[in-house]
Amino acid sequence: MEEDYERGLRNYKPQFLDNVDDFVSRNGSFLRSLSGQKILDVWCVWSLEYGEYWLDAPVIVVTDACQIELCAQKLEEFSVTTDTVKLDDRVSWYGDERFELRKFAVYEDFEIENVWCVELQHTLNDYDWWALGGVAFTDAGHFLSITNGLDVNLIETEWKEDAFLRLTQI
C-alpha cells in the first residue's frame, strides 16, 4: 500500500523539527552517542530514469551500530530517524518505481569523533537569522554533512568556509 511510503521509502516516518533548540533537545543525546562509531557507508535514492541521485529522499548513514536517516524539508526543517528503512526494500516515489537505494559513499576508516549542528544564515530584506540546516560528522581525516539544499538534501564531504554557515558541536 502506498500509504506505507513516505518520500519513497516504506516505513519511513520523518520527524521534522524547525529550530536548533528543539532539534538538539530531541536528538542531542542520540547524536552524541554516535561518537566512536564507524561510518561504513552512505545510501541515497537513485533515479533509474534520470541516472542520478534523487536527493529529495532521505540520506541514510550506516554505522557499525545503527542506521541514521537524515532529511531536510522546506527552508529550515530537518529530521533524524534511526533504523526505520530497509536498504533492500523497493523504492516507490508516489507510485513511481523507477528508483532504488544505492550506495553513495563507502568508508573504511571514518570513526565519528564529533557531531555538529549545521546552521544556515538567511536574509530577508534587512532581517538576518540563523536556522537549522542539518548535521555534520567529523574525525581527524573526514567530514560528512547532510544539510538543507533548499529543495533537496545537500551532501558535502569537505568543510567549506562560508560566512553563511556555522557549526555548533552537539
Side-chain angles (χ1 to χ4, degrees), residues 4 12 20 22 25 36 67-68 80 84 86 94 114 122 138 154 170:
D4 293 338
Y12 177 62
V20 173
D22 288 347
S25 176
Q67 174 180 290
I68 311 147
V80 174
T84 65
K86 292 187 176 155
Y94 301 97
N114 295 295
H122 299 287
T138 59
L154 180 63
I170 295 178

Side-chain angles (χ1 to χ4, degrees), residues 42 68 101 112 145 158 165 168:
V42 177
I68 311 147
L101 278 164
I112 299 169
S145 69
E158 293 179 17
L165 291 171
T168 304

Side-chain angles (χ1 to χ4, degrees), residues 25-37:
S25 176
R26 170 130 357 131
N27 298 297
S29 292
F30 166 70
L31 292 170
R32 282 187 295 275
S33 77
L34 297 173
S35 181
Q37 291 185 29

Side-chain angles (χ1 to χ4, degrees), residues 8-130:
L9 302 173
R10 187 164 49 162
N11 298 320
Y12 177 62
K13 305 284 188 244
Q15 299 172 3
F16 289 102
L17 298 170
D18 64 2
N19 73 64
V20 173
D21 292 338
D22 288 347
F23 180 79
V24 173
S25 176
R26 170 130 357 131
N27 298 297
S29 292
F30 166 70
L31 292 170
R32 282 187 295 275
S33 77
L34 297 173
S35 181
Q37 291 185 29
K38 291 185 177 187
I39 294 178
L40 304 176
D41 42 54
V42 177
W43 292 69
C44 299
V45 169
W46 177 265
S47 169
L48 297 168
E49 179 180 7
Y50 296 108
E52 61 187 29
Y53 288 103
W54 194 258
L55 296 174
D56 293 9
V59 175
I60 302 168
V61 177
V62 178
T63 73
D64 53 354
C66 67
Q67 174 180 290
I68 311 147
E69 300 120 7
L70 304 161
C71 193
Q73 171 177 277
K74 298 183 183 174
L75 185 61
E76 53 192 44
E77 294 183 352
F78 201 80
S79 173
V80 174
T81 57
T82 58
D83 300 316
T84 65
V85 175
K86 292 187 176 155
L87 296 173
D88 58 355
D89 270 355
R90 73 181 177 95
V91 176
S92 178
W93 192 263
Y94 301 97
D96 186 343
E97 295 188 14
R98 294 174 294 177
F99 296 91
E100 65 186 17
L101 278 164
R102 284 193 184 177
K103 285 185 184 177
F104 180 87
V106 176
Y107 296 97
E108 293 184 17
D109 60 348
F110 191 153
E111 184 173 318
I112 299 169
E113 291 177 5
N114 295 295
V115 181
W116 308 85
C117 181
V118 180
E119 294 177 83
L120 308 172
Q121 185 178 32
H122 299 287
T123 302
L124 181 61
N125 297 326
D126 291 331
Y127 181 68
D128 292 323
W129 74 98
W130 287 95

